[in-house]
Amino acid sequence: MVRLVLLFAFATLVALALQTMLPYWLPIGPYVPDLVLILAVDLGMRHHSAVAALMAFVMGYAIDAFSGTQIGLNAFMITLVFLLAYELSSQLLVTNVVVGMLAVFIGVIINDLGSIVVISGFSGLTSNPALTRHLLGQAAVTALLAPLVFAVMARSKKLLGLLATGRRE
């Protein structure tokens, strides 16, 4: 369990660094992928424990600490997305890439809409007509990157001995 915590702590720091630097490296505008959310979905779909839920909370809190937004908002939203991914994988009994991509897409929309509602109220949803386009664009970009992040995490877990060699996730 310690190796899993260390793996996700390192992956979260790398994801936060990439999320911060990507807008400076690439002209992607508002479509910055939410890499930490992908990690939370991976955690929720493949690791069903109280420690995993705590890790999702800490990952969200790390976003709060680095971004300077309202403390606890991202911690709550990332934990919510973790719980949704956990429930989705439990109900479907499947953890393939397509289900993961769908969970990431929905998770980004829930995360962003929830944050907008908490910060600016429901009026924030109607004040910007381009909001829907930006939300769906960011969700699509993040979902398209999810298989790559899932593969990197699966490979890392395998190298650290957290997965059996014959098992694919």
Side-chain angles (χ1 to χ4, degrees):
M1 187 58 71
V2 173
R3 289 181 289 182
L4 183 69
V5 171
L6 291 175
L7 173 64
F8 273 92
F10 178 74
T12 300
L13 288 176
V14 170
L16 285 171
L18 285 173
Q19 280 178 218
T20 304
M21 295 307 295
L22 277 177
Y24 297 107
W25 292 342
L26 302 171
I28 54 180
Y31 306 113
V32 178
D34 194 343
L35 301 174
V36 177
L37 188 130
I38 298 172
L39 293 173
V41 168
D42 182 57
L43 196 60
M45 293 188 75
R46 291 176 177 83
H47 303 282
H48 300 170
S49 68
V51 172
L54 181 62
M55 287 167 50
F57 177 81
V58 171
M59 289 163 56
Y61 202 77
I63 296 172
D64 287 330
F66 282 109
S67 68
T69 61
Q70 295 180 346
I71 299 297
L73 178 60
N74 284 307
F76 171 74
M77 297 309 294
I78 294 294
T79 305
L80 178 65
V81 170
F82 164 83
L83 291 172
L84 291 173
Y86 168 82
E87 189 62 29
L88 182 66
S89 69
S90 296
Q91 295 299 319
L92 292 179
L93 300 174
V94 173
T95 58
N96 63 20
V97 173
V98 175
V99 174
M101 288 176 68
L102 179 65
V104 166
F105 186 84
I106 293 169
V108 169
I109 292 173
I110 289 171
N111 184 25
D112 290 350
L113 286 177
S115 297
I116 290 168
V117 168
V118 168
I119 290 171
S120 63
F122 287 101
S123 64
L125 296 176
T126 59
S127 64
N128 189 355
L131 179 65
T132 304
R133 184 171 33 109
H134 292 315
L135 269 174
L136 294 177
Q138 184 190 12
V141 167
T142 305
L144 289 174
L145 282 177
L148 176 65
V149 175
F150 292 156
V152 167
M153 291 304 290
R155 180 79 174 151
S156 300
K157 291 173 198 174
K158 190 175 182 180
L159 288 173
L160 291 173
L162 298 171
L163 291 180
T165 46
R167 184 174 159 198
R168 272 192 75 155
E169 288 200 31

